[in-house]
């Protein structure tokens, strides 16, 4: 049995599923027939008409129960994340914890979908802004956070009064099926939720495209590559839908002369090699002051040499496999390209045997070349050097992506400048913390080719609702705004 969360039916379909741990086929997931999509969409619309009438705190109760069921199933779901994606055990569990955290957040939110009262310029008038459910939300997710990203979206969408339709990565259908089972446990305890409140469709981009094209789905939240977002974003907008795009990152750390190097080294190693470099927020570029470079490189080479690489289920392993052989081939090709541009590569050696294992690479680059400016979804860390602080910020911003960034410095002026209007241009900017491992309380997302979407905490929930401005006239006169006269 692959997981106690899955039935036999869920492992004997047609879509082959491979474990990156050894590259072996572990199951065949049931695929959704594209011909069924019109019924899926109609079901979601029916569910919306019922769910939007349920008071938000009662909707929150369903999400509270989901959080409880996730707590109960944390070990099993975390283990399945490890099996299907290759994350080390603590990261698989951490992913489920993220789901639990966003459920807790959303339960509180279900009593706080606050609007505004606005001062009207007209006597005897009251103005207000109200947030209302918007309709079914399509959730398209990437392989590397196979369940947490669904939860970020679904927990918010559900308390906001919207059903969800989830198309997970075709590489990770098992964790999605298991999550759906867990959600059904919460549903059965909840009692009276409409049918089709959270649907799961399994298949490749064509199935995602059916969601993207449908006017029945006013919001599409798509997480994945910039290439995918460049197709999905315009397609959603062309039919007047609302895209929430969470796309690629090319995240940097500036290491300034005053940095606490012990802390920086720990943050660099986790940021660059954690999840085998397969986080959207993974550290990909190090921008180091020239005076520190040799010392820092020596420390990093030493730290990298001590990292345990291998089966992610084994205690002590810190780096698991890449998702598949194609990902490893892309990593090796990028390293070859970096060498032709003058890069000096440490590591980056593919291991013999099954599974796409490769030692993480450190690449000292003479400049921020096109290779560095691309996101390679693998543990490659490019090291660049700066002399003057403004040049460090310019280098940090001179890439097409704008997700996460950080600086290690004990200099207050540098830290504040990094966070200022002329500092980092990213959606996430940290001081003395690495770029990855965001908490759910903040809005998550990035600028430029990262897509501009925001999910998770803060006021990201507004992206899942429609805003209504209303003016009520309780006077016996009908004055027009801006003093316009129109007497009839
Ligand atoms: P991917 O773009 O290959 O696939 C992501 C999802 O999009 C999959 O479900 C896929 O089936 C679907 N898809 C692809 N083309 C589509 C289309 N034309 N129409 C509809 N759906 C389509 O990405 P991946 O390889 O699974 O994930 C890695 C990428 O995701 C990296 O670039 C990473 O940075 C990014 N990512 C971003 C975030 C974020 O929050 N910014 C989080 C996780 C991953």
């Amino acid at each position: 049995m692959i997981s106690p969360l899955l039935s036999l039916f869920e492992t004997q379909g047609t879509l082959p599923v491979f474990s990156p741990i050894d590259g072996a086929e572990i199951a065949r997931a049931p695929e959704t027939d594209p011909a069924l999509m019109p019924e899926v969409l109609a079901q979601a619309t029916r569910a919306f008409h019922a769910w939007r009438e349920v008071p938000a705190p009662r909707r929150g109760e369903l999400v509270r129960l989901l959080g409880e069921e996730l707590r109960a199933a944390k070990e099993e779901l975390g283990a399945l994340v490890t099996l299907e994606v290759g994350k080390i055990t603590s990261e698989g569990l951490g992913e489920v914890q993220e789901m639990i955290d966003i459920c807790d957040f959303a339960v509180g939110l279900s009593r706080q979908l606050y609007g505004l009262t606005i001062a009207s310029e007209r006597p005897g008038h009251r103005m207000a802004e109200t947030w209302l459910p918007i309709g079914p939300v399509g959730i398209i997710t990437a392989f590397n956070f196979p369940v947490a990203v669904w939860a970020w979206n679904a927990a918010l969408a559900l308390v906001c009064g919207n059903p969800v339709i989830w198309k997970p990565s075709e590489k990770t259908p098992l964790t999605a099926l298991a999550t759906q089972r867990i959600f059904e446990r919460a549903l059965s305890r909840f009692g009276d939720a409409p049918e089709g409140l959270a649907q799961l469709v399994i298949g490749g981009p064509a199935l995602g495209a059916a969601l993207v094209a449908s006017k029945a789905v006013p919001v599409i939240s798509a997480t994945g590559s910039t290439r995918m977002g460049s197709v999905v974003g315009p397609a959603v907008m062309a039919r007047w839908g609302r895209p929430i795009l969470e796309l690629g990152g090319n995240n940097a750390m500036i290491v300034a002369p005053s940095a606490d190097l012990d802390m920086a080294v720990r943050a660099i190693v986790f940021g660059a090699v954690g999840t085998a470099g397969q986080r959207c927020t993974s550290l990909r570029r190090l921008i180091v002051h020239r005076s520190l470079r040799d010392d820092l490189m020596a420390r990093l080479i030493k730290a990298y040499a001590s990292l345990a690489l291998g089966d992610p289920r084994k205690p002590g392993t810190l780096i698991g496999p890449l998702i598949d052989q194609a990902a490893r081939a892309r990593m090796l090709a990028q390293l070859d390209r970096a060498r032709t541009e003058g890069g000096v590569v440490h590591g980056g050696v593919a291991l013999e045997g099954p599974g796409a294992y490769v030692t993480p690479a450190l690449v000292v680059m003479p400049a921020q070349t096109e290779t560095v400016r691309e996101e390679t979804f693998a543990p490659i860390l490019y090291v660049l050097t700066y002399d003057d602080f403004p040049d460090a910020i310019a280098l940090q911003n001179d890439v097409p992506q704008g997700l996460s960034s950080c600086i290690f410095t004990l200099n207050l002026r540098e830290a504040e400048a990094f966070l200022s209007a002329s500092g980092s241009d990213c959606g996430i900017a940290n001081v003395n913390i690495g770029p990855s491992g965001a908490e759910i309380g903040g809005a998550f997302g990035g600028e430029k080719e990262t897509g501009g979407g925001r999910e998770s905490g803060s006021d990201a929930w507004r992206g899942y609702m429609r805003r209504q401005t209303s003016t009520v006239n309780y006077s016996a006169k009908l004055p027009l705004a801006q003093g316009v006269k129109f007497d009839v």
Side-chain angles (χ1 to χ4, degrees), residues 140-145 149 152 167-171 203-205 208-209 212 223-228 231-232 246-249 279-280 375 377 403 444 450 455:
I140 297 172
T141 56
F143 80 82
N144 67 318
F145 274 94
V149 171
W152 286 3
K167 197 213 80 65
S169 165
E170 54 277 32
K171 294 176 185 169
V212 165
T223 301
S225 58
T226 294
R227 179 185 40 76
M228 176 276 286
V231 176
V232 166
E246 299 286 348
L247 310 174
R279 284 186 185 221
C280 50
E375 179 198 51
F377 215 53
L403 181 53
F444 182 88
T450 303
E455 287 171 358

Side-chain angles (χ1 to χ4, degrees), residues 15-269:
L15 178 66
V17 188
F18 303 93
S19 172
I21 296 175
D22 58 4
E25 185 178 307
I26 49 171
R28 291 195 165 226
E31 283 176 274
T32 304
D33 180 351
L36 294 177
M37 283 308 282
E39 180 46 29
V40 168
L41 296 162
Q43 182 69 265
T45 302
R46 285 193 292 272
F48 174 54
H49 291 155
W51 191 239
R52 67 183 173 185
E53 303 298 339
V54 176
R58 172 80 184 135
R59 301 193 296 245
E61 170 62 6
L62 174 60
V63 175
R64 192 187 68 77
L65 294 170
L66 174 61
E68 279 190 2
E69 294 299 337
L70 284 165
R71 281 178 170 87
K74 183 175 173 181
E75 301 285 326
E76 285 114 341
L77 188 57
L80 194 56
V81 169
T82 292
L83 182 69
E84 196 175 41
V85 183
K87 293 191 181 194
I88 62 171
T89 300
S90 74
E91 288 193 82
L93 292 170
E95 170 141 9
V96 184
Q97 187 58 46
E98 229 174 295
M99 303 172 83
I100 295 167
D101 293 346
I102 193 69
C103 285
D104 286 356
F105 180 91
V107 174
L109 181 66
S110 71
R111 290 180 185 269
Q112 300 175 77
L113 300 170
Y114 297 136
L116 293 173
T117 54
I118 300 161
S120 171
E121 67 187 49
R122 288 171 280 185
H125 284 56
R126 183 174 64 78
M127 266 178 93
E129 189 174 84
T130 311
W131 294 89
L132 300 166
I134 191 166
V137 174
I139 305 173
I140 297 172
T141 56
F143 80 82
N144 67 318
F145 274 94
V147 286
V149 171
W150 172 79
W152 286 3
N153 285 281
L156 296 193
L158 288 169
V159 299
C160 289
N162 310 310
V164 295
I165 306 171
W166 181 15
K167 197 213 80 65
S169 165
E170 54 277 32
K171 294 176 185 169
T172 57
L174 299 183
T175 41
L177 285 160
T179 301
Q180 188 72 4
R181 290 295 85 83
I182 294 166
F183 182 74
E184 282 162 8
R185 290 176 187 171
L187 268 183
S188 68
R189 287 172 63 198
F190 182 76
D192 56 351
E195 205 181 322
L197 188 56
Q199 300 183 81
L200 171 65
V201 295
I202 291 184
L207 216 52
L211 278 182
V212 165
S214 173
K215 277 183 177 284
V217 187
V219 177
I220 293 283
S221 175
T223 301
S225 58
T226 294
R227 179 185 40 76
M228 176 276 286
S230 70
V231 176
V232 166
V236 173
M237 292 177 77
R239 51 119 175 136
W240 307 107
R242 181 188 299 172
I244 299 175
L245 298 175
E246 299 286 348
L247 310 174
N250 196 350
N251 318 298
M253 178 191 293
I254 296 173
V255 187
S258 65
D260 179 329
L261 274 197
D262 291 338
M263 272 174 61
V265 167
R266 285 176 53 206
I268 291 165
V269 176

